[in-house]
Amino acid sequence: MPKKEVIDAKAKKVDEIAKDFTEAVSAIVVDSRGLTVAQDTELRKELRDNGVKLMVIKNKILERAADKSGHNDLKSIFNGPSAVAFSHEDAVAPAKILKKFADEHDALVIKGGIIEGEVADIEKINEFATLPSREELLSTLANILQAPVRNVAYAVKAIADSKSEDDAE
């Protein structure tokens, strides 16, 4: 491949990663060196099932993409092998999955990332990992909204039952 084409391909890759950094609701950088193939496959499947894509990216490309997307603070974590988990839907999912996996597998190390457009250190990522997922929050909200209707239904049924008992007497 001619040198110009290689440079153009790298510039295109930088643009794509910068766009991911900008548009993703969260991007968590990890070092997955030492995971077995089976563990890596398991992690990727769980991430993919939750709408998260995990990409191994060269540090130079990550640094340039961080510059381009305005996340210069990330550059200090781009050392050693780096993989980035991008989520465009759920800010909590990558943190939750990666934290759980890192707790179970010492080979996975969370380096830092971006959550909701802000650079996040390991502590902040761990905080997000403890938050309920979007689905859990929606389920809780649905239960809260259903409670008054359910209570009215129970009250109406109780009144109807008491009237039918009175009529039976």
Side-chain angles (χ1 to χ4, degrees):
M1 199 187 253
K3 191 172 184 176
K4 171 120 174 68
E5 288 179 22
V6 172
I7 292 171
D8 289 345
K10 286 182 180 180
K12 183 178 178 189
K13 186 70 171 174
V14 168
D15 290 343
E16 289 171 7
I17 302 303
K19 183 178 178 189
D20 276 336
F21 275 137
T22 303
E23 294 178 356
V25 290
S26 69
I28 310 293
V29 182
V30 297
D31 179 349
S32 60
R33 174 181 36 190
L35 288 179
T36 65
V37 172
Q39 291 168 339
D40 186 61
T41 303
E42 176 188 346
L43 175 61
R44 286 176 183 272
K45 182 184 181 323
E46 188 170 354
L47 289 167
R48 192 174 39 254
D49 290 348
N50 286 279
V52 180
K53 71 177 178 180
L54 182 69
M55 300 170 54
V56 176
I57 306 167
K58 291 184 176 189
N59 289 329
K60 217 33 151 170
I61 290 175
L62 285 172
E63 288 173 9
R64 290 181 178 144
D67 275 340
K68 193 165 194 159
S69 64
H71 294 99
N72 297 334
D73 297 345
L74 281 180
K75 289 168 67 173
S76 64
I77 64 172
F78 300 140
N79 50 44
S82 296
V84 185
F86 291 104
S87 176
H88 293 279
E89 299 167 9
D90 187 352
V92 176
K96 197 179 252 335
I97 294 165
L98 292 169
K99 166 89 168 85
K100 180 178 176 249
F101 206 86
D103 288 346
E104 296 170 359
H105 303 89
D106 292 337
L108 184 72
V109 178
I110 298 172
K111 297 179 176 184
I114 301 169
I115 298 177
E116 299 283 336
E118 298 292 321
V119 173
D121 59 10
I122 296 164
E123 289 77 27
K124 186 163 186 153
I125 291 168
N126 288 338
E127 284 177 32
F128 263 78
T130 61
L131 293 175
S133 70
R134 183 175 189 272
E135 287 75 26
E136 292 168 331
L137 289 172
L138 290 174
S139 174
T140 302
L141 178 62
N143 284 335
I144 290 169
L145 294 175
Q146 286 178 348
V149 173
R150 196 176 315 121
N151 292 340
V152 168
Y154 288 143
V156 169
K157 183 176 181 337
I159 292 169
D161 290 347
S162 71
K163 286 199 181 224
S164 65
E165 286 175 10
D166 290 344
D167 292 343
E169 292 176 0

